[in-house]
Amino acid sequence: MRRASLDAPPIFRLANRAPGRLDLESDTAARAHVLVLEDDIVRLLVLPEGGITGPPTWSIAPGAADVSAEGRDRFDVSGFALPEAKVSEADGTLVVETARIRLSIHLAGLRCRWQVFDGEWKEAFRDRPTQAYDFGWWDGKVRHYLARGTDEEVFGLGEVSGDQDRSGRRIRLAPIDAFGYSARTSGPLYKHIPFSITRRPRTGVSFGLYYDTYADCAFDLGCERDNYHGLYRSFEAEAGDLDLYVIAGADPGAIARRFTWLTGRPTLMPAWSLGYSGSTMALADAADAPDQLLAWLDQCRARDIRCPSFHLSSGYSKTGGRRYVFHWNLERFPDPARFLAAFADRRVRLAANIKPALLATHPDFEEAAARGLFIRQAAGAPALAQFWDGLGAWLDFTNPDTQAWWKAKVTTSLLDVGVAATWNDNNEFEVWSPSAVTRAGPASATRAVQPLLMMRASREAQVEQEPQKRPFVVSRSGCAGMQRYAQTWSGDNATSWETLRYNLKMGLGLALSGVSNSGHDVGGFAGPPPDPELLTRWVEMGIFMPRFSIHSWNDDGSVNSPWMHEGVADATADLIRFRGRCQPYLHYLSWRYARNFEPIWRPVFYDFPDDPASYEERDDFMLGPSLLVAPVVDPGVDERLVRLPAGAAWIDPWTGARHEGGTTITLPAPLGRPVFLVREGAILPVNFAPARFGDETLDLGFDLYPQIEGMSAIELFADDGESVVDVAGSEPAIRIEIVSDPDSIRVRAEGLSEPRFKLPPDETRPLSIETDRA
């Protein structure tokens, strides 16, 4: 075979065809494979050296809750429908066509053109006509160049700083401990999800691109220009193979749901995980940590703030200024079980901080090294790297022995003494040595999957400890598929108004990338403590996010808490109580996420894709299909301009005023009262029981926002909030239906004997209720 050259790129031919797969060979070593997985998902695998060089995948789990610990072979097509595709060849072009996607491959050079069907075939994207792939011409990195349209909007890519639309930028994905980052400009950050959604407004075409790699990678979305190649965008990865999934969809929301399905069913967590979770580093680091932590709970009791969980920072393992995961400091915590029981008595579950690297002075370091549990150098010694206050080594979770060791440590050191959940932290696996290797191959090709396997092992330990209960797992870093195991947050953010605004956009990018059980460190983690106004506005936004935790490491050693500023302490406590009232709605959205792959919170255009203005950069978001949340993200203001999406009418929950969609209104925004509107026709499950400290009573009721005329309904599933359930196979147990006209509101309730309802302020129409039980 000849070697590929720029003037004579590889010429491919169709060599073999099997169900769901077409194999292409070339006159060089290069091979390519087209995998027709679904009518709306087609995959292109380009192998310049002829075979797979990267690790298996742990991210692809079509509609499934998990994958095997060993990962999934790159040619495994199980779980996909594998529809029959039309295949034809003429004039040097191979055409592969499903009901939704048409791929045309110019066999000389493998130049691809992708079209999607939307009443007619419309172009989605095509390869750059000049050197679209690297067939051994340059530096051996994985490269893909696309021709760039002038009307492209690009969303997703997981946790990325800046605006929602990523077009025109260069973005690097390389998980890193980005302490005190700028939510507007910093990058890379903690997570690694090389998935984007592109929208072309002129033609109405949307498509998704997922590059299944765990290597550090970069996307250029129009930042770079080169006169010799025309307008282009590019993807490059440091190692592995070019493994591209193309997803067709009617709009960005449909593509986001399909990608979530592709990378696995989101886990349904216990209902208490959606409550306020206390946290701060300073208390666990204190010399009298147990006393300070219990005093913190006493403040919650005194102010009647429900706090169903608390994140125990790594200070419990701090000895001599260093942190040794799984080792309690018995001088400061002489009786861990008794300490944990004191929290349990107050109905507060502890999530303990755990880290996947051992310092060289860690008591277990030599044993772990002897057993080969670390990422290592080629010669076999642990690959030492900087970690916190010294050198250490990162555990290799692609090694089954490491997974087993980790699970045993989680069990004996934490779960057996009363810890309820794991907080998987500092898991960006910053191994920079080019010679470092793991059980699955070079560390450079597996770095981003390590946190996924870490949280998976932590989750398995919790499941084995209490198999009938849903585990609560939190992870800071992760890759595509992490929604199967964990809740997440946006890491060590900086305390500022700018962070408040752009953390919101970061979370929306994650939600479009499969991961929407998320939130932020409310109040800010790094820097000065928040002033009263900033703290209150942050709480106003945070109560509408799935993860709601006030957490901090302030420069002055102070602690962010609901009562840190007495002047707004009552307001923040009231906001947390309001969060408790809304918790059934959040749990309902969690069900939709797990069952239908629908993000819990999302950009406005997700629900209103046909409203062009919904794609404009604003500081609003949707919480499920019913709430439009418009947080205040600027200081010194007491009103909020809100653009209402077209296609629905909106009701102000504070006044009952009705507003038509497609308009822009100004709403009062006094400090301590969140700005949000409810979609007309919404039925919101809420808790009518007061949110009291230590009291988890659920008095399920419904806030009704009936239309002037029409019908709407909601279905809920039977759920005690904690037991393991079959999400995919469950049938609705409760159905509420509203039929309204200008003179009356009629409600039918199925599955509830004594349903309770509340109407908006100033609603004067009579309400009649019918149930299916006597």
Side-chain angles (χ1 to χ4, degrees):
M1 287 186 182
R2 69 174 179 85
R3 180 176 176 79
S5 62
L6 285 171
D7 61 336
I11 299 175
F12 288 82
R13 65 179 180 85
L14 179 60
N16 184 54
R17 183 176 179 184
R21 175 174 163 181
L22 290 83
D23 301 325
L24 282 69
E25 296 179 350
S26 76
D27 57 347
T28 69
R31 292 174 179 256
H33 305 274
V34 177
L35 295 101
V36 180
L37 304 176
E38 303 282 339
D39 279 328
D40 58 348
I41 303 177
V42 175
R43 179 178 166 210
L44 177 65
L45 184 59
V46 181
L47 305 174
E49 302 301 322
I52 297 288
T53 63
T57 178
W58 285 268
S59 293
I60 301 302
D66 208 350
V67 296
S68 70
E70 297 78 23
R72 180 184 178 108
D73 184 89
R74 291 277 170 169
F75 288 109
D76 183 356
V77 293
S78 60
F80 293 104
L82 307 181
E84 185 70 22
K86 298 177 184 178
V87 180
S88 60
E89 184 176 346
D91 300 325
T93 298
L94 180 71
V95 178
V96 182
E97 183 180 309
T98 74
R100 298 292 308 278
I101 294 176
R102 179 190 284 167
L103 167 60
S104 303
I105 304 173
H106 187 64
L107 294 172
L110 201 74
R111 293 201 306 274
C112 296
R113 179 191 185 204
W114 298 81
Q115 296 169 282
V116 298
F117 191 76
D118 180 22
E120 61 181 313
W121 288 107
K122 297 180 179 179
E123 180 167 307
F125 66 99
R126 65 172 67 204
D127 288 342
R128 190 179 77 177
T130 51
Q131 298 98 48
Y133 308 93
D134 182 0
F135 290 112
W137 298 323
W138 303 309
D139 53 11
K141 293 182 181 180
V142 179
R143 297 177 184 273
H144 188 202
Y145 293 89
L146 309 179
R148 177 169 59 85
T150 57
D151 65 334
E152 292 182 353
E153 300 168 342
V154 183
F155 306 102
L157 292 177
E159 184 182 75
V160 174
S161 63
D163 289 336
Q164 289 186 70
D165 182 2
R166 323 298 196 193
S167 61
R169 298 176 56 190
R170 183 171 177 84
I171 294 169
R172 180 172 171 238
L173 300 183
I176 196 168
D177 187 344
F179 177 86
Y181 64 87
S182 164
R184 184 176 65 87
T185 61
S186 289
L189 297 174
Y190 301 89
K191 298 176 183 68
H192 180 282
I193 307 180
F195 167 69
S196 64
I197 299 172
T198 300
R199 173 179 177 261
R200 291 190 150 172
R202 291 178 191 167
T203 60
V205 167
S206 295
F207 59 90
L209 301 179
Y210 172 55
Y211 294 91
D212 189 8
T213 180
Y214 302 118
D216 293 355
C217 58
F219 290 82
D220 192 297
L221 302 173
C223 182
E224 180 178 292
R225 286 175 178 253
D226 187 329
N227 178 61
Y228 300 108
H229 300 286
L231 297 179
Y232 61 89
R233 55 191 272 192
S234 67
F235 163 81
E236 65 179 40
E238 296 295 322
D241 308 300
L242 180 62
D243 195 352
L244 171 63
Y245 289 75
V246 177
I247 304 175
D251 53 61
I255 294 168
R257 289 190 298 275
R258 198 56 160 157
F259 176 70
T260 308
W261 173 87
L262 176 67
T263 53
R265 188 175 299 282
T267 184
L268 181 66
M269 294 193 176
W272 55 261
S273 70
L274 296 168
Y276 166 51
S277 187
S279 184
T280 186
M281 280 195 68
L283 299 184
D285 278 1
D288 57 344
D291 292 339
Q292 290 211 28
L293 288 164
L294 292 174
W296 191 94
L297 285 187
D298 289 340
Q299 281 280 6
C300 284
R301 184 200 301 274
R303 297 171 186 271
D304 212 10
I305 295 174
R306 181 191 291 170
C307 180
S309 68
F310 189 92
H311 283 61
L312 180 63
S313 293
S314 58
Y316 75 92
S317 67
K318 185 178 179 182
T319 303
R322 295 191 171 186
R323 298 164 200 271
Y324 300 119
V325 64
F326 299 131
H327 283 261
W328 290 83
N329 181 329
L330 296 179
E331 291 185 4
R332 292 190 299 121
F333 292 86
D335 190 344
R338 184 178 179 183
F339 166 72
L340 292 163
F343 272 74
D345 289 344
R346 294 162 172 81
R347 300 187 69 82
V348 180
R349 295 92 169 164
L350 274 174
N353 185 284
I354 47 179
K355 308 179 188 301
L358 307 187
L359 291 168
T361 53
H362 192 287
D364 298 328
F365 187 90
E366 295 302 328
E367 177 205 354
R371 292 177 59 179
L373 304 185
F374 293 120
I375 297 173
R376 63 193 188 282
Q377 298 289 358
L384 294 179
Q386 185 66 35
F387 184 74
W388 278 70
D389 301 312
L391 290 178
W394 297 85
L395 293 161
D396 176 15
F397 284 89
T398 68
N399 183 347
D401 292 340
T402 303
Q403 297 174 26
W405 179 88
W406 182 264
K407 287 166 59 177
K409 288 291 186 180
V410 168
T411 300
T412 58
S413 300
L414 301 175
L415 304 181
D416 284 350
V417 295
V419 168
T422 56
W423 174 12
N424 298 255
D425 197 11
N426 298 104
N427 52 351
E428 290 74 35
F429 287 81
E430 294 192 39
V431 180
W432 306 116
S433 170
S435 60
V437 295
T438 72
R439 181 66 64 92
S444 61
T446 59
R447 203 163 72 80
V449 80
Q450 294 282 356
L452 186 82
L453 298 178
M454 173 196 179
M455 67 183 89
R456 183 184 190 275
S458 298
R459 186 180 190 276
E460 283 188 347
Q462 293 174 229
V463 169
E464 291 171 8
Q465 183 83 356
E466 292 191 278
Q468 301 306 314
K469 291 187 177 181
R470 303 174 207 165
F472 178 39
V473 179
V474 182
S475 180
R476 186 170 76 177
S477 186
C479 63
M482 66 181 295
Q483 72 273 4
R484 304 192 303 258
Y485 312 120
Q487 182 188 82
T488 190
W489 83 107
S490 58
D492 296 342
N493 55 359
T495 304
S496 70
W497 287 93
E498 181 181 270
T499 302
L500 179 62
R501 167 175 276 119
Y502 284 97
N503 265 174
L504 164 61
K505 300 173 189 293
M506 287 170 59
L508 297 177
L510 265 179
L512 290 175
S513 306
V515 183
S516 73
N517 191 340
S518 66
H520 313 291
D521 280 350
V522 171
F525 183 81
D531 62 36
E533 183 186 13
L534 178 56
L535 175 69
T536 307
R537 293 304 193 192
W538 217 314
V539 173
E540 288 175 14
M541 184 171 80
I543 60 173
F544 291 104
M545 295 181 180
R547 174 177 171 83
F548 174 52
S549 180
I550 300 173
H551 183 46
S552 63
W553 183 87
N554 294 333
D555 291 348
D556 62 1
S558 61
V559 173
N560 287 359
S561 70
W563 49 83
M564 66 184 297
H565 298 298
E566 195 59 46
V568 295
D570 289 343
T572 53
D574 285 342
L575 288 166
I576 295 172
R577 282 188 274 273
F578 181 78
R579 163 69 172 224
R581 189 177 192 278
C582 296
Q583 194 165 318
Y585 179 60
L586 285 161
H587 192 53
Y588 160 72
L589 297 179
S590 299
W591 264 92
R592 291 174 67 121
Y593 182 37
R595 187 177 175 86
N596 304 328
F597 310 100
E598 178 182 322
I600 299 171
W601 63 302
R602 59 272 196 130
V604 174
F605 62 70
Y606 177 96
D607 291 277
F608 298 92
D610 297 327
D611 179 6
S614 71
Y615 294 90
E616 297 172 0
E617 287 290 341
R618 291 188 176 84
D619 304 310
D620 307 336
F621 64 93
M622 294 294 297
L623 180 61
S626 299
L627 298 190
L628 172 65
V629 183
V632 175
V633 294
D634 293 301
V637 301
D638 58 7
E639 60 183 23
R640 178 64 153 80
L641 201 66
V642 182
R643 198 272 174 179
L644 304 178
W650 300 89
I651 298 175
D652 184 335
W654 305 112
T655 66
R658 181 181 182 277
H659 304 277
E660 290 293 340
T663 61
T664 298
I665 62 174
T666 300
L667 293 174
L671 192 65
R673 194 177 86 175
V675 179
F676 70 103
L677 294 108
V678 185
R679 191 173 185 167
E680 188 181 59
I683 304 169
L684 304 180
V686 295
N687 189 1
F688 281 177
R692 308 290 299 274
F693 178 81
D695 183 357
E696 297 184 357
T697 301
L698 173 61
D699 182 6
L700 181 63
F702 297 86
D703 286 347
L704 307 181
Y705 292 85
Q707 302 171 70
I708 293 177
E709 187 163 16
M711 190 275 284
S712 58
I714 188 174
E715 293 182 331
L716 280 72
F717 296 84
D719 185 9
D720 64 10
E722 195 165 29
S723 299
V724 173
V725 292
D726 178 10
V727 173
S730 297
E731 294 296 328
I734 298 170
R735 177 180 170 84
I736 308 295
E737 182 180 285
I738 309 175
V739 179
S740 55
D741 59 42
D743 300 316
S744 66
I745 301 168
R746 300 181 300 281
V747 176
R748 175 171 174 77
E750 299 175 6
L752 291 172
S753 56
E754 297 181 3
R756 300 180 62 190
F757 302 103
K758 182 182 177 184
L759 292 168
D762 296 334
E763 175 60 69
T764 59
R765 288 175 289 179
L767 173 67
S768 62
I769 301 171
E770 177 187 350
T771 70
D772 62 346
R773 298 183 183 181

